[in-house]
Amino acid sequence: MKKLLTLFTFSGLLASNPLLAQEVSGGFAAIDSNQKTLLIIIGITIGVIILLLVLMIYLMSFISTVFRKENPEIAEEPSWWESFKLKFVTGDIEEEQTKDKLMNDHSYDGIQELDNFMPPWLQWVFTGTIIIAFVYFGYYTVLGYGKTGVEEYQEEVRIAAIEAKARGESALASLDETNVTLDDSEAALATGNTIFQANCAACHAADGGGGVGPNLTDKYWIHGGDIKDLFSVIKYGVISKGMVPWEDQLNPKEIQEVASFILSLQGTSPAAPKDPQGELYEEGAEEPAMDSVSPADTTSFATDTTAIAE
C-alpha cells in the first residue's frame, strides 16, 4: 500500500509542477476544439496506461507476498522493490556507514568533516544533469536548432501581431450601420477628408457646400443626419438620386471615417452653399423638427395653396 501511495504522490508532484501547469494553461487556451479533443483523448489514454502499470505493480507485489508465504526458503530474500531501493535509491547504508570516518585533514576551528557517502539516486541525478548540460549545449549552441530567449520573444511578438491584426479585421468586418459610432479623432478626420476630396467633392464641393449633391454643412438632411444614417447612405448609396453605393470601394472603417468627417463640417461656412434640402435634424430628437425647406418645395406648396383658395 505504501508503494501505491508513493507512486500516486510522485504523479501528483509532476502534475502540480507550476512551470508545467503554466505552459499547459497558456497553450491549452490557444488551440482549437479539435486539438483539445485530441489532447483529451491522449490524456485519457495515458491515464489508463498509468493505471494499468500501477495495477501490475500492485499485482506483482501481491504475488511476491504469496510466494514468500508458501516458500519459507525465499522469505528472507529482499523483494524486488527493496532490491531496487538498495541499488538506485538508498544504497547499502549500513555497509557505507561502517566506512564513514572523520576527515582529520578537513578541520576548521575544531569542526571536522564527516566523509558521508552519496546516495545512488543523488549520483544518478548529478550524472543526469551533466548529460542534459551536454545535450542542451549541443542543441542550442553547437547545432543551433533551439531558439534563444531573444528569438522566442521575437517569435511571440510576431504571433501576437498576427493575432492583433486578425482581431482588428474581425472587428472591422463587424462594423456596420447598426453599431457604428462617431470617430472624431484627428487621424480619422484626416483620413475621412482625404476620402471625401477623392470621391465626394465632385458632387458635394470640396468644402461640403453642395453642387449636384446637397449641402452637407447645414442642419438639413434628406436621409437623416445621424452617424448611422450617413454610414448607411454612403454604404448603400441612393440610386434614385444618382449616388452610387460605396461598399465595394470603401471598407467599413473608411466609411466610418468619411461619415465622421462630413459631420465635422456642420456649422462651417462654404464658399457657395447650396440651399437647404430635406428636413431639419436635431441631435437627440425623436422626430424631425420640420419639413423640407427646399425652394422648389416652398413654391409647390404656395401653388397648391393658391389653387385651393380659387
Side-chain angles (χ1 to χ4, degrees):
M1 190 63 181
K2 291 183 179 179
K3 303 167 189 174
L4 190 61
L5 291 175
T6 302
L7 287 173
F8 277 116
T9 303
F10 181 71
S11 301
L13 290 175
L14 289 178
S16 61
N17 188 320
L19 296 178
L20 180 62
Q22 180 180 5
E23 182 177 353
V24 171
S25 62
F28 195 75
I31 59 179
D32 57 29
S33 58
N34 293 331
Q35 292 174 327
K36 287 181 180 179
T37 303
L38 180 61
L39 287 177
I40 292 173
I41 294 174
I42 293 175
I44 294 175
T45 304
I46 294 176
V48 172
I49 293 174
I50 293 176
L51 181 60
L52 291 176
L53 289 175
V54 171
L55 291 176
M56 288 178 59
I57 294 173
Y58 181 76
L59 182 60
M60 290 173 61
S61 301
F62 178 76
I63 294 174
S64 176
T65 303
V66 173
F67 283 164
R68 287 174 178 276
K69 290 182 178 180
E70 294 181 353
N71 299 277
E73 62 275 8
I74 63 173
E76 296 181 357
E77 294 182 3
S79 64
W80 67 271
W81 176 250
E82 293 172 346
S83 301
F84 177 83
K85 288 195 299 181
L86 188 64
K87 186 175 181 180
F88 297 104
V89 182
T90 61
D92 194 343
I93 298 178
E94 294 181 357
E95 180 181 353
E96 293 292 342
Q97 283 178 344
T98 60
K99 300 178 182 179
D100 288 345
K101 60 181 179 179
L102 291 175
M103 301 177 67
N104 296 323
D105 54 337
H106 288 191
S107 178
Y108 304 95
D109 295 332
I111 301 175
Q112 293 178 297
E113 182 180 353
L114 182 64
D115 186 16
N116 288 320
F117 82 104
M118 181 180 291
W121 69 268
L122 188 55
Q123 297 178 17
W124 284 107
V125 170
F126 180 71
T127 304
T129 56
I130 297 176
I131 295 174
I132 292 174
F134 277 105
V135 173
Y136 183 92
F137 180 78
Y139 182 75
Y140 284 93
T141 305
V142 179
L143 300 178
Y145 291 146
K147 294 181 180 180
T148 64
V150 175
E151 291 172 340
E152 290 181 352
Y153 171 76
Q154 293 173 345
E155 178 66 15
E156 291 177 358
V157 170
R158 186 187 67 84
I159 295 175
I162 295 175
E163 293 176 348
K165 182 179 179 181
R167 289 193 299 269
E169 291 176 350
S170 177
L172 184 65
S174 63
L175 184 65
D176 57 22
E177 61 276 9
T178 63
N179 56 21
V180 65
T181 57
L182 179 67
D183 187 356
D184 55 359
S185 63
E186 293 183 3
L189 295 180
T191 304
N193 184 22
T194 302
I195 297 172
F196 182 87
Q197 301 302 331
N199 301 285
C200 312
C203 295
H204 296 278
D207 55 7
V212 178
N215 183 357
L216 302 177
T217 64
D218 57 32
K219 296 184 178 181
Y220 291 87
W221 297 90
I222 301 175
H223 302 286
D226 183 70
I227 182 66
K228 294 181 173 60
D229 299 325
L230 268 69
F231 188 98
S232 179
V233 169
I234 297 171
K235 179 178 180 179
Y236 299 111
V238 184
I239 304 301
S240 61
K241 299 293 185 179
M243 179 174 176
V244 299
W246 291 94
E247 59 181 335
D248 295 331
Q249 289 84 2
L250 302 176
N251 61 47
K253 181 62 177 175
E254 291 173 331
I255 297 177
Q256 179 193 34
E257 290 168 339
V258 70
S260 298
F261 171 74
I262 291 173
L263 288 178
S264 72
L265 296 176
Q266 292 288 290
T268 59
S269 301
K274 190 176 180 180
D275 292 333
Q277 293 176 272
E279 300 174 343
L280 178 63
Y281 177 81
E282 293 182 358
E283 187 175 359
E286 297 182 358
E287 298 294 337
M290 60 177 296
D291 292 333
S292 170
V293 295
S294 170
D297 293 341
T298 304
T299 303
S300 176
F301 178 77
T303 303
D304 293 342
T305 305
T306 304
I308 292 173
E310 293 178 351

